[in-house]
Amino acid sequence: MRFVLLGAGVFALSLPVLHGQAGVPSSLPLPVLVAVATAAGLAAWWARRSWWPLAAVGAVTYAWLVMWPPLLVASYYAGRSLSGRRHVAAYLGGCLGVCGISALVGEWQDGLQEVLTAGLGNALFMALAVIGLPFALGLWVRARVEVQRRAEREQVMRAEQARAQERARIAREMHDVVAHRVSLIVLHAGALEVRAADEETVRTAAMIGGIGREALANLRDVLGVLRSSATDTEPPPTLADLDRLLDQSRALGIAVTRHDEGEERAMEPTVERTAYRVVQEALTNVHKHAGDARTDVRIRYGAGELEVEVRNRASQSQRQELPGAGWGLVGLRERVELLGGTLRTSAQDGGGFLVSARIPASGAALPVTGDRRPA
């Protein structure tokens, strides 16, 4: 929009100059004057892409008719755009050549044009006003913009450095505390597997050790991401990995039943990964607070959304609840809402709990490859 206004302004300022209301009057017919002013306005409008056409029109019209608006605007954009001494010297040298040609044309035309362009004092004043000052203003504006951009880049770099330091600190804390505790769990599970007398205890200890080793591997990947900007080479979990997650919960004594509704299809990776995390967090909370409660996992494929529902009944056994920070569902809600979905959690009659998420499918509907093993 501003270049449209610029073109209109150059056109409006060029008409009185050509028509004799200001500057040097012209004996050209009015249609020719309007055409020249229109060409100057169009060249000014085109300056949003390239200012060279405006400079060419300005050079010709200034040398021929002492029409200053196009050359003035072109000098400003030259100061904004040109970099390097050679380019600046080339432009200023070209402008001096235009002034020299204008002086020769002024001597040939006589009258006011000769006074403005051939007289040394007036010629210097016109060159300074039409070329020098706009060019200097363009250089100043460009310097201001570069200083601002440099400050923004430095601010971004400082923010990135602060984030890197914080990530390194978090990685050290996780390694020193979480990884150490999980390693102890794996070691104790291995010792229990070796010393246990009954087969059920051996299987449970082996399963706990396997889950602990998998947790250590995942924790190692997280620490790698925190300590560097490199992305994880392991593919993120999707709904195709959901059965393995449910099997782990079943092995810990929870009766988990999976229900798929609607036309099963693959979604976008972010959608499937979020759905997987919803089920994972809900089952984790069942382990912490409901023990061996019967749990239903429902995956409903809608026309434009994927609905994930995890509903557990009240626990039939008395057990001590595991400690939790309470941030799991908060982070899960943020993850779902980032995709434009909603997360609903509520206590059920009889002591159960419901976690339900609706995630937009974003129009992704790719054919599913491979068969899923029913739960």
Side-chain angles (χ1 to χ4, degrees), residues 76 79-81 135-153:
Y76 169 77
R80 287 284 306 268
S81 304
F135 189 81
L137 178 62
L139 291 176
W140 179 78
V141 171
R142 186 181 67 178
R144 288 289 301 273
V145 172
E146 289 179 352
V147 169
Q148 183 179 0
R149 290 177 178 175
R150 188 181 301 114
E152 292 176 353
R153 288 195 297 267

Side-chain angles (χ1 to χ4, degrees), residues 268-332:
E268 288 186 356
T270 54
V271 175
E272 292 204 12
R273 182 162 61 252
T274 302
Y276 179 92
R277 296 305 184 191
V278 169
V279 177
Q280 184 182 46
E281 178 64 25
L283 291 178
T284 300
N285 288 335
V286 173
H287 286 291
K288 289 181 178 180
H289 308 295
D292 57 353
R294 182 176 181 83
T295 304
D296 292 317
V297 176
R298 194 176 306 276
I299 308 296
R300 185 176 296 112
Y301 296 88
E305 65 179 12
L306 178 68
E307 183 177 356
V308 181
E309 182 180 290
V310 181
R311 185 192 305 268
N312 67 274
R313 303 176 186 177
S315 175
Q316 301 299 323
S317 61
Q318 298 295 328
R319 55 169 292 174
Q320 183 180 5
E321 292 189 3
L322 297 178
W327 293 104
L329 291 178
V330 175
L332 191 63

Side-chain angles (χ1 to χ4, degrees), residues 114-129:
E114 181 182 7
V115 173
L116 291 176
T117 60
L120 180 60
N122 289 333
L124 291 177
F125 175 78
M126 291 292 291
L128 180 63

Side-chain angles (χ1 to χ4, degrees), residues 217-299:
N218 294 335
L219 183 60
R220 180 192 58 208
D221 295 337
V222 172
L223 294 179
V225 172
L226 288 174
R227 286 170 174 165
S228 68
S229 59
T231 56
D232 192 1
T233 57
E234 292 292 331
T238 63
L239 291 179
D241 305 307
L242 190 58
D243 286 327
R244 185 166 62 90
L245 177 66
L246 301 184
D247 287 340
Q248 293 177 354
S249 295
R250 295 186 185 103
L252 292 175
I254 298 179
V256 183
T257 305
R258 175 176 175 177
H259 309 274
D260 288 353
E261 299 179 4
E263 182 181 355
E264 186 177 352
R265 63 188 187 278
M267 302 286 182
E268 288 186 356
T270 54
V271 175
E272 292 204 12
R273 182 162 61 252
T274 302
Y276 179 92
R277 296 305 184 191
V278 169
V279 177
Q280 184 182 46
E281 178 64 25
L283 291 178
T284 300
N285 288 335
V286 173
H287 286 291
K288 289 181 178 180
H289 308 295
D292 57 353
R294 182 176 181 83
T295 304
D296 292 317
V297 176
R298 194 176 306 276
I299 308 296

Side-chain angles (χ1 to χ4, degrees), residues 51-52 78 82 84-97 135:
W51 58 271
W52 283 105
L82 291 178
R85 295 181 179 179
R86 296 181 58 184
H87 295 90
V88 171
Y91 180 79
L92 295 179
C95 290
L96 290 178
F135 189 81

